[in-house]
Amino acid sequence: MAVVEAGIDIQEILDKLGIEKVNRGASTGSHWFNTRGEQINSQSPVDGSLIASVNSASESDYEAVVLKASEAFKSWRTVPAPKRGEIVRQLAVKLREQKDALGKLVSYEMGKSLQEGLGEVQEMIDICDFAVGLSRQLHGLTMHSERPGHRMYEQYHPLGIVGIISAFNFPVAVWNWNTALAWVCGDVCIWKPSEKAPLTAIACQKITQEVFEANDVPEGVSCLIIGDATIGKLLTADQRVPLISATGSTRMGKSVGEVVGARLGRSLLELGGNNAIIITPSADLKMVVPGAVFGAVGTCGQRCTSTRRLIIHEDIYDQVKNALVNAYQQIKIGNPLDENNHVGPLIDQDAVKMYEAALAQVVEEGGNLVVEGGVLSGEGYESGCYVKPAIAEAKNEFKIVQHETFAPILYLLKYSGSVENAIRIQNGVPQGLSSAIMTNNIKESEAFLAAGGSDCGIANVNIGTSGAEIGGAFGGEKETGGGRESGSDAWKVYMRRQTNTINYSDSLPLAQGIKFEL
């Protein structure tokens, strides 16, 4: 394995994380199955190099994993929640020790900047810390009964197996958003990661395995199964898996939701975003420009919270456009492991084709490219996955603007009149994940946050659309799926609610005063 351009020895990182040249694609903890399925090659979009390979799992491997997870749940659910939380605390300690190596692998396998790779591992640490406190706060309510001598309360119990289907763009954090909460709630987890980032998943399983073995956690509490869509379909249709948490495209989410709904299971869907920032005349441009630029080009536009649209008041439209054009001229594109670069590559050649098709379509529909894009070639860009962030003047009703393109393309939209006009434009897309307004006018900010304002699951004032803190519930509405992960009371989705009534009297009064005498 060669040393990459930024002076980072990838082989040293793989050795530290226990990644082999050819890896097994299924694990229930310390046991790794001798998988013999189709080989999945992980090639870095950074330089096109083959990092390592994984032998994918078969249907029989899947069945063995589910049986082991089902068995593990019977004992894991009886472990007191604070003790489960203590084990998750130790996982956070181990992640802190491996943060540098895992963050670099995330960056090299997925293509996001090194700081973003390290930041993703920090999100894992943060959610573990959150889950530790949560393990002592799985509260239910106590209610007054209408019948004398009765007490009512509710409690939450573990669901069982949580199936996790994750996407390539956040290859480790989203998995841990689910597992840290699910584990302290008493659930067991089966993870089907993206085939585009299998090595980071193996690294996470091995880190977890080390902690779980030290604490005698039953085999099957943390399971990994790597494969193509066939494995995802098995997981989604399985009656033994009460909850499916799926992150990905709206198209994928609709399919998952339909299958899970047909068996009356639960689904937590985190799907597409078409996120906008409204810029009003009172906005501070010193905040607008960095917020919009990072939102649009961070992770090369491959975040579900990436800024896709800027809705700018006509009075300041040219001023904002010119400032953005100037800022884009300063963007450095290259090896994401070099901290001097702002933007790394797209994930693969298919993503590049979608980027090129979107640029062609916006022009075809009547848009104007004010910062032209294009695919970069030559020294440092040998993988063919590096593209230039682009800016296009467009209209909200354009088909391409209504569609989420996972690439660094920013659409400039003009509005006139009141902020309510801008909000209508913002809400006028099928997706409803993240939104923001840049304003120093309190009336405008309150209108944006009110019931008739942004229809998104996330609504920010004077910060961008991209990035979320662990403490808040993360997710969106409409075609974003309606799911909520991470903070607040998102833990409740991983548990089943039970209402209990205790009669400590000597009689049996019925509710609503009903009389039934024998």
Side-chain angles (χ1 to χ4, degrees):
M1 179 64 62
V3 177
V4 301
E5 178 186 327
I8 295 173
D9 190 336
I10 295 301
Q11 187 59 57
E12 181 181 340
I13 292 168
L14 297 178
D15 291 343
K16 186 172 184 180
L17 294 171
I19 306 295
E20 301 172 358
K21 184 177 180 180
V22 179
N23 298 269
R24 299 178 180 186
S27 164
T28 54
S30 60
H31 176 68
W32 287 81
F33 291 75
N34 188 23
T35 52
R36 293 188 172 89
E38 183 178 350
Q39 192 170 87
I40 297 172
N41 294 324
S42 179
Q43 288 185 286
S44 173
V46 174
D47 56 16
S49 296
L50 174 65
I51 310 173
S53 301
V54 180
N55 289 331
S56 60
S58 65
E59 291 189 27
S60 61
D61 294 326
Y62 170 81
E63 183 63 23
V65 166
V66 173
L67 290 175
K68 182 59 70 174
S70 299
E71 181 183 338
F73 175 61
K74 295 175 184 177
S75 57
W76 181 244
R77 65 187 175 186
T78 67
V79 176
K83 291 187 177 180
R84 297 192 296 251
E86 164 58 19
I87 295 169
V88 172
R89 184 196 66 80
Q90 293 177 37
L91 177 59
V93 172
K94 186 61 64 175
L95 286 169
R96 285 180 170 91
E97 294 173 2
Q98 293 279 31
K99 178 179 177 179
D100 184 69
L102 183 56
K104 287 174 180 175
L105 181 59
V106 168
S107 180
Y108 190 58
E109 185 174 39
M110 184 267 152
K112 64 175 58 177
S113 73
L114 178 57
Q115 285 304 308
E116 291 183 79
L118 295 171
E120 185 170 347
V121 181
Q122 186 61 49
E123 282 193 39
M124 300 173 73
I125 295 166
D126 292 344
I127 195 63
C128 285
D129 289 348
F130 179 88
V132 174
L134 176 65
S135 68
R136 295 180 182 271
Q137 299 181 73
L138 302 175
H139 300 145
L141 298 174
T142 299
M143 293 77 72
H144 288 277
S145 173
E146 65 185 47
R147 291 169 285 186
H150 285 59
R151 180 168 70 89
M152 292 179 64
Y153 69 97
E154 66 181 17
Q155 58 182 335
Y156 289 85
H157 294 301
L159 267 180
I161 300 174
V162 175
I164 302 166
I165 300 172
S166 62
F168 74 86
N169 59 329
F170 278 83
V172 296
V174 172
W175 164 75
N176 209 197
W177 280 9
N178 286 274
T179 55
L181 300 191
W183 286 332
V184 299
C185 288
D187 298 319
V188 300
C189 299
I190 299 176
W191 181 21
K192 191 272 181 200
S194 169
E195 308 97 293
K196 296 180 180 182
L199 303 181
T200 50
I202 291 171
C204 288
Q205 179 73 351
K206 293 196 172 189
I207 292 169
T208 304
Q209 167 193 335
E210 186 175 345
V211 175
F212 279 19
E213 282 185 349
N215 288 275
D216 296 320
V217 174
E219 189 86 11
V221 172
S222 176
C223 299
L224 172 68
I225 186 155
I226 297 172
D228 59 17
T230 301
I231 297 297
K233 290 176 181 177
L234 289 172
L235 192 61
T236 300
D238 199 327
Q239 290 275 9
R240 297 166 294 181
V241 183
L243 173 64
I244 296 291
S245 176
T247 303
S249 68
T250 296
R251 178 189 56 77
M252 179 274 289
K254 287 181 177 179
S255 175
V256 169
E258 182 179 358
V259 173
V260 176
R263 62 177 175 87
L264 298 182
R266 298 190 194 181
S267 57
L268 192 170
L269 302 176
E270 297 290 356
L271 311 175
N274 196 344
N275 316 296
I277 301 176
I278 295 171
I279 304 172
T280 75
S282 69
D284 184 346
L285 290 189
K286 295 192 301 294
M287 299 171 68
V288 166
V289 173
V293 174
F294 175 73
V297 309
T299 322
C300 202
Q302 297 172 116
R303 289 177 175 236
C304 52
T305 55
S306 290
T307 305
R308 309 289 179 200
R309 299 173 296 147
L310 288 188
I311 304 167
I312 310 165
H313 194 275
E314 60 183 358
D315 289 351
I316 57 168
Y317 181 86
D318 288 337
Q319 184 181 2
V320 172
K321 180 177 74 171
N322 293 336
L324 289 169
V325 170
N326 180 61
Y328 268 51
Q329 292 173 353
Q330 302 171 50
I331 292 173
K332 296 178 181 178
I333 307 166
N335 187 329
L337 292 163
D338 183 343
E339 295 185 54
N340 292 313
N341 293 324
H342 302 110
V343 179
L346 289 171
I347 185 66
D348 56 23
Q349 294 291 331
D350 288 339
V352 173
K353 291 175 183 176
M354 286 189 289
Y355 158 84
E356 292 181 298
L359 289 179
Q361 186 173 341
V362 73
V363 172
E364 183 180 325
E365 291 192 60
N368 174 46
L369 293 175
V370 294
V371 175
E372 293 188 0
V375 181
L376 294 167
S377 60
E379 186 177 356
Y381 305 125
E382 290 85 356
S383 70
C385 296
Y386 290 87
V387 301
K388 300 176 185 177
I391 300 177
E393 294 179 295
K395 294 182 178 180
N396 203 55
E397 58 267 27
F398 285 2
K399 289 182 179 179
I400 192 59
V401 176
Q402 293 283 310
H403 174 77
E404 180 193 37
T405 302
F406 236 46
I409 302 173
L410 181 63
Y411 301 116
L412 304 186
L413 313 174
K414 186 185 294 186
Y415 83 96
S416 59
S418 69
V419 72
E420 284 76 14
N421 294 332
I423 293 171
R424 278 193 290 272
I425 295 172
Q426 199 251 223
N427 293 344
V429 293
Q431 308 85 357
L433 179 52
S434 187
S435 59
I437 187 171
M438 294 288 187
T439 180
N440 285 325
N441 183 317
I442 190 169
K443 291 183 179 181
E444 291 177 333
S445 65
E446 290 299 318
F448 178 73
L449 299 173
S454 170
D455 63 3
C456 295
I458 300 169
N460 299 327
V461 176
N462 289 332
I463 61 173
T465 63
S466 189
E469 294 186 30
I470 288 301
F474 179 88
E477 301 300 323
K478 302 190 297 188
E479 288 194 357
T480 302
R484 292 297 185 276
E485 294 174 311
S486 192
S488 185
D489 65 350
W491 60 272
K492 291 181 179 179
V493 75
Y494 302 97
M495 306 196 82
R496 60 181 179 89
R497 185 191 303 228
Q498 184 181 79
T499 300
N500 307 114
T501 305
I502 300 171
N503 179 4
Y504 58 89
S505 73
D506 295 325
S507 61
L508 186 63
L510 301 178
Q512 294 86 43
I514 295 172
K515 300 295 184 182
F516 183 76
E517 298 179 358
L518 295 175

